[in-house]
Amino acid sequence: MEYNYNQKMAILRLLLDIISIDGKIDERETMYFEKVKKELNLSPEDHFKVKEFNTLLSLSILKAMSEEQKLNYAKFMKNMILIDGIIEPSENLAYEDICSFCGIP
């Protein structure tokens, strides 16, 4: 899947939000985040830059993506939520809210 730089950064920002929404960061979540970062061809320096990326801006960028890009992001988000084997209510709510706001079917 092709994404421009800002789209990649938005994806990572929102995945970081998903990781931290339940207040627990599992090693499997960290490993999956690194896998996504590698899949998106982002550098280690981008990991630090993404923390400065704004969540609302990231949602706006996601909302403007193509349907195919959105569905691919939804796959990343779903995998991140499921990776630790525990689906917290806050994660489920965030998933539904992001999908609703961004028009992800």
Side-chain angles (χ1 to χ4, degrees):
M1 178 66 49
E2 292 293 321
Y3 294 102
N4 67 39
Y5 182 77
N6 283 340
Q7 290 171 327
K8 292 175 184 182
M9 295 299 279
I11 288 168
L12 289 184
R13 173 72 256 173
L14 294 171
L15 288 179
L16 274 179
D17 291 345
I18 293 292
I19 289 172
S20 62
I21 199 162
D22 63 0
K24 299 173 249 170
I25 299 176
D26 184 274
E27 181 179 343
R28 293 167 287 190
E29 292 171 325
T30 302
M31 290 172 36
Y32 183 69
F33 182 82
E34 290 300 319
K35 179 181 174 184
V36 171
K37 190 170 70 174
K38 186 175 182 178
E39 186 175 326
L40 295 175
N41 295 314
L42 289 168
S43 71
E45 294 80 31
D46 291 323
H47 181 88
F48 298 103
K49 290 179 186 175
V50 77
K51 292 178 181 180
E52 298 170 7
F53 224 69
N54 182 286
T55 297
L56 290 175
L57 174 62
S58 298
L59 287 167
S60 295
I61 291 169
L62 179 60
K63 189 173 186 172
M65 288 183 193
S66 72
E67 187 167 325
E68 185 179 10
Q69 289 172 318
K70 290 178 186 181
L71 290 173
N72 194 58
Y73 167 74
K75 180 187 76 173
F76 288 144
M77 188 170 47
K78 180 180 175 184
N79 290 341
M80 183 61 78
I81 291 169
L82 297 175
I83 198 80
D84 65 357
I86 302 168
I87 302 173
E88 297 288 344
S90 57
E91 294 172 324
N92 192 45
L93 182 60
Y95 179 86
E96 291 174 3
D97 285 347
I98 291 170
C99 288
S100 176
F101 179 81
C102 296
I104 300 172

